[in-house]
Structure formats: C-alpha cells, structure tokens
Amino acid sequence: QVQLVESGGGLVQAGGSLRLSCAASGRTFNNYAMGWFRQAPGKEREFVASISWSTISTYYADSVKGRFTISRDNAKNTVYLQMNSLKPEDTAVYYCGAAEGYTIAVRNRISYWGQGTQVSVSS
C-alpha cells in the first residue's frame, strides 16, 4: 500500500555532507511519523531521527545531534536527512520507515520500510 524509496547515499570523506531522501508512494499518508534508521554490519538497526507529519516535532539520537537534520516536504511526500560533519562511525545502510498513528517513529512501530541506501564515510 505504501512504498518507500531511499536515495542520496554514497561515499564521502570525513567532515563531508550528504542529503538522503525518502520518497513515499502508493497512497496518500499524513498520519505517519517518519524515521531514519541505520544498520552497520554485525549490529542491530538503530534509531537515527524521527519527524511527525502532523507537527514540527523532531527527535534525534545523541550520536547525531547537532550534525543531522530531519525535514519533510508534504507536497512531495518526501522526508530528508541532511547529514553534516560526517564521521567514519556513521558508515551504515540507512533506512527510512513509516509509523502509522504515531508522532515518534521507533523500530517496533514501523509498518513500512524502504530498502536502504549505503552511506560510507572514509577517514
């Protein structure tokens, strides 16, 4: 019913920037919190950032506060993650997910996942 497609990943040197996009299609949705998550090899998928479609409230993991910014464009059904001052430990596959009926997107609330986009940060 809802498809999510991430884009914008790539290879970047430490200190550089990337902007990830997550485009939603298949149905209109405005009752979804949207979240960004990441997963490195051998590790669990971890929370990065969340944004509500009904409010401007945003939440970030401590590890990315001050460096990453989550935003949205409701007309385009797209969520973004601006990543600045990237570090090698940010290297992971980044996923977006939709949590229907919630204002905060955490992993066990996600109804739809994208397939992920690779972010690699070299030192």
Side-chain angles (χ1 to χ4, degrees):
Q1 296 185 36
V2 175
Q3 298 182 40
L4 305 175
V5 179
E6 302 96 336
S7 62
L11 280 66
V12 65
Q13 293 184 356
S17 299
L18 286 173
R19 190 182 74 161
L20 306 183
S21 299
C22 175
S25 62
R27 63 167 288 181
T28 59
F29 67 101
N30 58 4
N31 296 319
Y32 291 83
M34 299 294 297
W36 285 98
F37 303 80
R38 65 189 183 187
Q39 187 167 19
K43 294 186 177 181
E44 295 183 343
R45 191 170 300 184
E46 67 175 356
F47 171 81
V48 175
S50 176
I51 187 168
S52 171
W53 284 91
S54 298
T55 71
I56 60 172
S57 297
T58 58
Y59 303 89
Y60 299 92
D62 288 342
S63 59
V64 305
K65 286 181 179 177
R67 300 189 297 121
F68 291 9
T69 303
I70 189 170
S71 61
R72 68 187 181 197
D73 185 336
N74 289 332
K76 296 181 179 180
N77 287 325
T78 301
V79 177
Y80 304 95
L81 185 69
Q82 178 67 46
M83 305 185 294
N84 298 326
S85 301
L86 283 162
K87 304 175 180 179
E89 53 262 44
D90 295 319
T91 296
V93 177
Y94 283 70
Y95 300 88
C96 66
E100 185 177 13
Y102 295 98
T103 58
I104 302 173
V106 295
R107 196 170 67 178
N108 65 350
R109 296 176 179 175
I110 300 299
S111 297
Y112 303 96
W113 289 102
Q115 293 185 345
T117 185
Q118 177 71 50
V119 172
S120 298
V121 184
S122 64
S123 60

